Amino acid sequence: MTTYCVKFLPYDMSIDASEGDTIIRAALEAGVHVNASCGGEGVCGKCRVIIEDGVVEGGISEKLSDADQEKGYRLACQAKVKSDLVVRIPVESTIDHSVLKMQAAPRRTAHIKEMDFNELKEKGLFVAPVEKKYLELPEPTAQDNLPDITRLISFLNLTHDEHRLEVDLSVIRKIPDVMREDDFKVTATLVRPVRKIGKTRIINVEPGDATQRSYAIAVDIGTTTIYGQVIDLITGEVLAEHGEFNGQISYGEDVISRIVYAEKAGGLERLHAVVTSTINGVLKKIIKHSKIDPDGISTITLAGNTTMTQLMLKVNPRFIRRSPYVPAATLYPPIKAVSLGLELGEHVIALVYPAVSSYVGGDIVAGVMGSGIYLSDDLTLYLDVGTNAEIVIGNKDWLACAACSAGPAFEGGGLKFGMRAAKGAIEDFSLDPVTLEPMIVTIGNVRPKGICGSGLIIMVATLFEMGIINNLGKFDHDLDTPRIREDNGVYEFVLAWKDETQIDRDVVLTEIDIENLIRAKGAIYSGCMTLLTEVGMGIDDIKHIILAGGFGSYVDLERAMTIGLLPEMDPGKVTFIGNGSLMGARMSSLTNRIRKDVVEVTKKMTNFELSDTLSYMDNYIAALFLPHTNMDQFPKLKARLEARKGLWK
Amino acid sequence: MTTYCVKFLPYDMSIDASEGDTIIRAALEAGVHVNASCGGEGVCGKCRVIIEDGVVEGGISEKLSDADQEKGYRLACQAKVKSDLVVRIPVESTIDHSVLKMQAAPRRTAHIKEMDFNELKEKGLFVAPVEKKYLELPEPTAQDNLPDITRLISFLNLTHDEHRLEVDLSVIRKIPDVMREDDFKVTATLVRPVRKIGKTRIINVEPGDATQRSYAIAVDIGTTTIYGQVIDLITGEVLAEHGEFNGQISYGEDVISRIVYAEKAGGLERLHAVVTSTINGVLKKIIKHSKIDPDGISTITLAGNTTMTQLMLKVNPRFIRRSPYVPAATLYPPIKAVSLGLELGEHVIALVYPAVSSYVGGDIVAGVMGSGIYLSDDLTLYLDVGTNAEIVIGNKDWLACAACSAGPAFEGGGLKFGMRAAKGAIEDFSLDPVTLEPMIVTIGNVRPKGICGSGLIIMVATLFEMGIINNLGKFDHDLDTPRIREDNGVYEFVLAWKDETQIDRDVVLTEIDIENLIRAKGAIYSGCMTLLTEVGMGIDDIKHIILAGGFGSYVDLERAMTIGLLPEMDPGKVTFIGNGSLMGARMSSLTNRIRKDVVEVTKKMTNFELSDTLSYMDNYIAALFLPHTNMDQFPKLKARLEARKGLWK
């Protein structure tokens, strides 16, 4: 994709933008404010900018007079980058010049990290868990009438130096016909033991040379969504990926309501059947899409939280929700995929990710394994945020973990105008420092109808940093703007007036919304602090942050640090790994090194039940501020706030 | 049971008989001839004997005059032993006295040997394959909230020194409820690895102390009949046993016709379902009869010939009947019993006896293991005779085995008046040396309607030893008796005249019948000789014979040696172990020592395909005589024949 340099005047900020990006998105990226209230639909006509140099496409509107168009005025939300540009934002001349220098930091999301197949090989971490061996066997004769299986095993011994082999009944069932289909040329699929002392298991035989058809499936069983991937074991490539809503949603949105349902008569069987059916739907799609021969699939690796895992294995999770929160098991034996109701070949082995506890499940362990933090010298914070947030802190020597309930704020839940990250959700925001006029950009560039999680974080950070709200999240009532108002005793900020929205009502952000966010980020930050406290370390010791889950892909790192959700650090040290659970499942499909290490890692992972940990409440109360009671933990923010003192108000 | 001494005059032969035995059976046991042609029904009136001393019950008949009754005459087939007796057989005064001394040897069937649980323990052969461990676990707390399985394993480590444990998914499914049912008191069922290097598998958990409820099932899957036993693993006792016809009989009587059926579309699935259904029927009966809690069953050990085993495992046996006769496998992994369709607890493990080849199956291996010949210093011949005869010769150092088709003669098949050993079958026979009048005793003591296998052997041996037939099985045409006659060019001996039978026809034994028997015994004897030839040994080197199968329980050892079916030796060295397959399955249920040894034993068992072994045809031709071309192999018989030379004819 071609990128161009876009320079914004008078701020003298430059940014690289892709061809076709709108000017308003480029401005947001650069941290440059442009008034805008229609979300990018082009109807409010507020986002007027002057193209001083370069070529744009579009941006001409009836909202602009012919004369203005002549002068180079365009609507920033409609004009698309077609060359290097110089764009001037018209600002009030009264603005103090220093304010111009105080623009917010540019948008920074975490850089994406994917462990690579070749990297694995280079690091010596690649231990093939599945290998296919091609054999040309001699035809039996009266003098040499070994049983078919014995013939196979003998030649695996003889010509491939394979020992300690065991064989599945399904292979015994297939072998007589398979051997004779292509003249005693066969391919055997060997599943390696995790430890050398174990046995290599022959799980499949195919006629002819099938060594190049070698695939694995990785599945993340999320409470909300189930993702699956087809992986080529020869190249390490992901051949197809697909996600579908977990069919169990109809039986409850969260794990607790699923457990409650599972306790009813027939409930466990129902939830097991439903999740299996969703997985089968995903399998069907990814197998079709990848165009592979499904016979070439040898393993399916599944990772999920402890409840999802138990439901998938038809293990009643009833005691997971009862103190002292005991799961049935955290390590599971390899199982025939068909015995779980999965529609895969009879030979396919299902490997289930081990968990640490009832609330630190296989999904997190998979993330820890896939991200490799258990191999790192540096202290790393691993954070998977959804409705529940799972936190892991540690390095190659130790790992501490905890789960905390963040509530639905990060997914846009529990807010007056909260919504999921869908069309019409305000996902980006800035404020004119003088007029307090907002710039509002929505998903899909349509008129706004609500606020999603990423938008919320940016709004609260912006309002706080500009002094519109204080460190308790309360509005400054003295500000002279109609946008701050009281409604039934609750103060709120009008993001978009009724006629600028899709819903014929003002879209507002209330102090209660802000409170929800503060509690959510406070729970996570204090969770991290508690783990650190318990191991006698401090927030400064964290050298890297790894974000997992959908949340990690869109969160603006600077603003997340501003509100005190993430500890303050160089955003370059924050990595996003996407779906950590799926990534871990994929990595385990590719190398046995992970399966070998995982048992030790789960043993090493000390689980803290936060509610039972004394320091947690203190840490939580200290974190119910923007960004935190202890500003010394946020030195850069502290400096910025001090530099700005007196510029506004 | 009370036994009495019965002395027969004028032969001066004594025998111990049980109270209630008929005189005619006692006479047979003693080798004393009494004319009798109605099978023991009491209607021919020929078996007149004089009770000279002692008390009998019954035996009075209208066939006896009052005067004779006064003199002590009774019908031997009706008179029952009630005290020590002296019984005189009325014989023609013209008989040479020496003839009296030449009575046949007494009946001798093989002595029964059963390996004993305590004997196993004493010999140090007892290695429990299944053990139940009772644990009183601490209740979980917030400080100690180990997963249920981890708690179980930790305490098995700690308090029972158990290591290298693995666990079944079915246990994970049960454990949360089972642990809490009796206050964290549980019993775990451990299945031991065959080798130390293996893992101990936790297959079941039960609430409370269930250590005394520990059972196993042993099953012999015969082509005709399926037997099952419930075994108490604490005492080694057989709690119940039952046999039923294999439902597969409707699809063919022998293995070849079953294989042919299995090759048809759906045939394999059908035969698998049918055998499973028969086994389930047997299981139901023995579980009910033994009154055990079926939850206490941990293993089911199954032994059968290679075809029966493959059909039970749903492995197509098609190549078993095609040269070079290759089975799919001879070693099978442990399998969940439920996955084979067996109606047992989800935790029950099915262990399948390994085979040696397509025609030396798990039933024979089970017999070899159960009889312990693989541990013996002495060279032993193991013989399991049915339609097929399986032969094993060897000792602790080597074992050679072969299967040969004996044909159905031993089961009464293929004879003009052949029948199974059922009511009305002539099962015992002797001849008056002067009049050539037969003594005929039938199963059920009813008038004869045919000849069963054991009767056939006794008849042919008697006719041969008395010179009525020669060593080719041909009748002496010069004998002056209406019982020897020609019918359509085939000579035959009338065993019972039409009016003495149930079938309104003369029951006869033909030269063709005798030929069939000679071919059958020749196949077996030459099979043994071939194995010996191939290993460079001779028939004299055999120190013991072990007979298995129904055949072994009734065969008269002296007569079997007379016709050359068994090598000549002291009958005391012939042992009968009954159903060797079932016995081996039971032994394996009781001790892992056998499972450990069996793989080595099957490797040690050299299989000879007789049809491909050069010496077989020579040996076979040499064995198509009574008893054999080489009389030096039968020195005792040779001596008897020479002593008798000239006494008859």
Side-chain angles (χ1 to χ4, degrees), chain A residues 374-560:
Chain A
Y374 76 102
L375 296 170
S376 169
D377 287 320
D378 290 342
L379 192 64
T380 303
L381 164 65
Y382 178 95
L383 202 55
D384 191 333
V385 178
T387 304
N388 269 311
E390 285 94 4
I391 307 163
V392 184
I393 293 178
N395 57 24
K396 67 178 165 54
D397 300 318
W398 59 272
L399 291 158
C401 55
C404 60
S405 176
F410 295 120
E411 288 167 349
L415 309 179
K416 190 164 183 181
F417 287 89
M419 63 183 287
R420 281 184 185 266
K423 211 169 175 182
I426 301 173
E427 62 164 343
D428 216 331
F429 175 86
S430 85
L431 263 190
D432 184 293
V434 177
T435 62
L436 302 187
E437 272 306 290
M439 168 165 73
I440 279 175
V441 176
T442 62
I443 294 172
N445 299 327
V446 296
R447 280 185 290 170
K449 58 178 181 186
I451 306 164
C452 67
S454 59
L456 177 68
I457 290 170
I458 293 173
M459 278 171 207
V460 174
T462 306
L463 292 170
F464 173 62
E465 194 152 351
M466 294 179 74
I468 318 293
I469 55 176
N470 65 14
N471 67 352
L472 291 167
K474 303 300 176 197
F475 285 103
D476 182 344
H477 305 170
D478 300 336
L479 288 173
D480 181 22
T481 167
R483 289 190 179 263
I484 296 176
R485 68 187 188 192
E486 194 185 346
D487 182 31
N488 279 324
V490 177
Y491 275 84
E492 59 189 25
F493 184 91
V494 181
L495 297 162
W497 302 105
K498 172 177 169 172
D499 56 351
E500 295 163 343
T501 72
Q502 288 183 51
I503 53 175
D504 204 26
R505 290 163 66 197
D506 297 346
V507 172
V508 304
L509 174 73
T510 73
E511 282 186 353
I512 293 174
D513 297 342
I514 298 170
E515 248 177 68
N516 276 336
L517 179 67
I518 291 176
R519 272 204 295 271
K521 74 92 193 172
I524 293 173
Y525 191 85
S526 57
C528 301
M529 284 304 295
T530 304
L531 292 185
L532 289 165
T533 312
E534 293 300 312
V535 298
M537 305 195 87
I539 204 88
D540 296 337
D541 296 313
I542 292 176
K543 299 289 177 255
H544 295 282
I545 297 176
I546 295 175
L547 298 178
F551 171 85
S553 70
Y554 59 68
V555 70
D556 182 283
L557 297 175
E558 290 280 5
R559 273 81 193 166

Side-chain angles (χ1 to χ4, degrees), chain A residues 261-307:
Chain A
Y261 188 86
E263 291 182 50
K264 296 181 185 174
L268 175 62
E269 291 68 24
R270 183 92 204 112
L271 292 183
H272 169 74
V274 163
V275 72
T276 304
S277 159
T278 302
I279 297 174
N280 284 333
V282 171
L283 291 177
K284 213 167 158 181
K285 286 232 171 70
I286 56 180
I287 289 169
K288 190 178 170 191
H289 185 247
S290 61
K291 298 195 181 92
I292 62 164
D293 174 357
D295 262 5
I297 299 169
S298 299
T299 61
I300 176 169
T301 304
L302 304 118
N305 65 48
T306 308
T307 301

